[in-house]
Amino acid sequence: MHILVTNDDGVNAPGLLALTQAMQPLGKVSVLAPDRNWSASGHVKTLHRPLRVTEARLADGYPALATDGAPSDCVALAVLGILTEPVDLVVSGINPGANVGHDMTYSGTVTAAMEGAICGLPSLAFSLDTGETGSTLYFYDTAAAIAAQVVAMVQKNGLPQNVLLNVNVPNLPMSEIKGSLVTRLGLRIYRDVLVSREDPRGKPYYWIGGDAPTGVPEEGTDIGALAGNFVSICPVQLDFTAHRSLEALRAWDWHIAR
Amino acid sequence: MHILVTNDDGVNAPGLLALTQAMQPLGKVSVLAPDRNWSASGHVKTLHRPLRVTEARLADGYPALATDGAPSDCVALAVLGILTEPVDLVVSGINPGANVGHDMTYSGTVTAAMEGAICGLPSLAFSLDTGETGSTLYFYDTAAAIAAQVVAMVQKNGLPQNVLLNVNVPNLPMSEIKGSLVTRLGLRIYRDVLVSREDPRGKPYYWIGGDAPTGVPEEGTDIGALAGNFVSICPVQLDFTAHRSLEALRAWDWHIAR
C-alpha cells in the first residue's frame, strides 16, 4: 500500500509532519506537498505554466518532494508519474482549522482529496478544529492518531467510487475525544464584511474581513459532531447534481424560443 | 431586479460582453469581473491580501468594474457592498469551453455562481461547448439568447436554496439547437499526462499536459445533452454530502481507540 501524503499549508507545516508519521505503520509513505501555503485556494489545476519539483526534508528528516503547484497538482503529479511507484491512497492534511459545511468549496485540503478521488483512489482529508480561541495549543497528535485509525478502516473496507472522507477532529487531548460520528455537511454562517481603506497615495483598496465563520451545531452534521467533542467523518461525493431538484425543474416550461 | 454579471476569463472576454448585453432587458445590470483570466482557478476566496477595484468599460462602452481578485471575490465584493444597490441575481460566463461532470470542482465560472448561492442569491453559470475542433467560430450570440431565456425562467420560478443552475450551450447557430434538457452531471474522462522537460540550465520542469478531457455521452447527463445538440440545464447543490454512503459507513466498526 503506497500512501501519498499532501496538504495545502506547505511542506513545512506541522500537520503534514504529524500525518506523515501517522501513516508510516500503514504502508510505504511518499510526501509531495506545495512549497508554500495555499489555504483557501480552491480546486486549482495548473495547466498554463510548468511546475517545478524539488527535494525537501520534513523536520524529522523524512524525505519529501515540494512543488510550486497547488495541492491538487501534488496529487496529479504523483498519480501521473513523478513518483516511481503507483499511488494507492491519498491523505491530505492535517489542516489547522476545521473544514466543514460549505468550506468544502474553498478548502485546498479537501480539494487535494477530491483530485485523488477523481483519479479513482481512496482519498481522505484531515482537519483539526482549532477554532478561534486564539489558543496555540494544537493537538496534532490526537488528529494523527485518529487519522491512522480511520485510514486503517478504509484500507480494510474500501470507499465507494467518487466518494472521499472528510475528517474533522476536535482540538483536544485524545482522552477528551468522545468518539466518532459519520456525519453530513452542516451549515456554515459566514460573517464576511468589506473593509475599505486608502493606500498612502489616497487610492482605495479592500479587504474581505470580518469574523471567522461560525456554524449551526445541528445533530447529525459535522459541525454538530465537533461541538460535542466527537470526530466527524463525512463522506463527500464528486457528483454535485442537485438530484432532488431535477423533477421540479423539469416541470418548468422549457421551450427555447429561436 | 439587480443582476450581477461576472466571469473567470476577465473583464475583456467576449463572453462577458455577450452575457451583459443579454441581461439588460431583464433588469439593472452591474458588471464586476476579474482583471485577468482565472480559468481553472477553483473556488478562491482572497483573505490574505487586499483587493483593488478599478473602473473599466466593455467593448460596447458599457461601464464595468474590474478587480485583481478571483471570480468568487467579484461576487463577494459585490454582495458585501462595493455596488451601491443590493444584488438580486448572479450570472457568470459565458465561458468558452463546456463545464460538465467533474469540471464543476475546477471551474472558476461555476464557483462564481457557487459563491452567489452561498450568499443566498439565485445564481447561474453559462458555458459554450466550443469543444476541441480548433474552430474559432464561437456562437456566443446563441448562448446569450439562451441565457436571457433561462434567467427569465429563474426570475419567474425562483431556485431552491443552495442550488445553482449550470447551463451549457452547444456551439451552434440558434437554428440548430434542438431544445433544452434538465440534466445530471455526467462522467468526464481526463487524459492528463505528465510532460517532463529540461530548462536551459539542465534542470527538470513538468507540464500537466495531454489531450483535453472527453466525456461519456450518457442519456440524462449534461454531456449527453450537448452531444445531441441540446442545451444542458443542470441543478448543482452546495451540499456535497454523499448521502447514499452514510448508512454503509455507519455500519463500519467505528471504535476510536485512545
Side-chain angles (χ1 to χ4, degrees), chain A residues 193-230:
Chain A
V193 295
L194 191 66
V195 178
S196 176
R197 297 198 176 149
E198 278 191 6
D199 72 17
R201 282 154 299 282
K203 290 195 170 172
Y205 64 94
Y206 305 91
W207 287 94
I208 297 177
D211 295 325
T214 57
V216 182
E218 198 185 342
E219 199 183 315
T221 68
D222 47 7
I223 298 167
L226 291 172
N229 295 345
F230 285 86

Side-chain angles (χ1 to χ4, degrees), chain A residues 39-53 72-73 76-77 80-82 101-102 104-107 111 114-115 118 146 149-150 153-154 156-160 162-163 165 174-180 182-185 187 190 192-194 199 201 203-208 220 231 233-246 249-250 252-258, chain B residues 39-53 72-73 76-77 80-82 101-102 104-107 111 114-115 118 146 149-150 153-154 156-160 162-163 165 174-180 182-185 187 190 192-194 199 201 203-208 220 231 233-246 249-250 252-258:
Chain A
S39 294
S41 65
H43 197 180
V44 176
K45 194 170 195 171
T46 303
L47 304 174
H48 64 284
R49 67 173 174 89
L51 299 169
R52 294 283 188 174
V53 177
S72 302
D73 293 327
L77 287 169
L80 294 175
I82 277 280
H102 291 164
M104 284 319 91
T105 71
Y106 303 107
S107 165
T111 55
M114 278 188 190
E115 186 72 23
I118 287 175
I146 284 165
Q149 295 184 50
V150 175
M153 298 276 280
V154 168
K156 187 178 148 203
N157 296 291
L159 279 179
N162 290 317
V163 170
L165 288 192
M174 188 58 115
S175 60
E176 294 178 35
I177 300 284
K178 290 276 172 52
S180 64
V182 175
T183 58
R184 65 178 192 278
L185 295 176
L187 191 63
Y190 295 96
D192 298 337
V193 295
L194 191 66
D199 72 17
R201 282 154 299 282
K203 290 195 170 172
Y205 64 94
Y206 305 91
W207 287 94
I208 297 177
V231 176
I233 296 163
C234 179
V236 168
Q237 63 192 358
L238 295 176
D239 177 4
F240 296 176
T241 310
H243 288 279
R244 279 175 288 194
S245 299
L246 286 172
L249 276 170
R250 286 190 178 128
W252 292 11
D253 180 26
W254 285 114
H255 178 74
I256 296 287
R258 299 212 173 119
Chain B
S39 295
S41 65
H43 197 181
V44 176
K45 194 169 194 172
T46 304
L47 304 173
H48 64 285
R49 66 174 174 88
L51 299 168
R52 295 284 187 171
V53 177
S72 302
D73 292 328
L77 287 169
L80 294 175
I82 278 280
H102 292 165
M104 285 319 91
T105 71
Y106 304 106
S107 165
T111 55
M114 278 188 189
E115 186 72 23
I118 288 175
I146 284 164
Q149 294 184 49
V150 174
M153 298 275 282
V154 168
K156 185 178 148 202
N157 295 292
L159 280 179
N162 289 318
V163 171
L165 288 192
M174 188 58 114
S175 60
E176 293 179 35
I177 300 284
K178 291 274 170 55
S180 64
V182 175
T183 59
R184 67 179 191 278
L185 294 176
L187 191 62
Y190 296 96
D192 298 337
V193 296
L194 191 65
D199 72 16
R201 282 155 299 282
K203 292 198 169 170
Y205 63 95
Y206 305 91
W207 287 94
I208 298 177
V231 175
I233 297 163
C234 178
V236 168
Q237 63 192 359
L238 295 176
D239 178 4
F240 296 175
T241 310
H243 288 280
R244 280 176 286 195
S245 300
L246 286 172
L249 276 170
R250 286 190 179 128
W252 292 10
D253 179 25
W254 285 113
H255 178 73
I256 296 288
R258 298 208 175 121

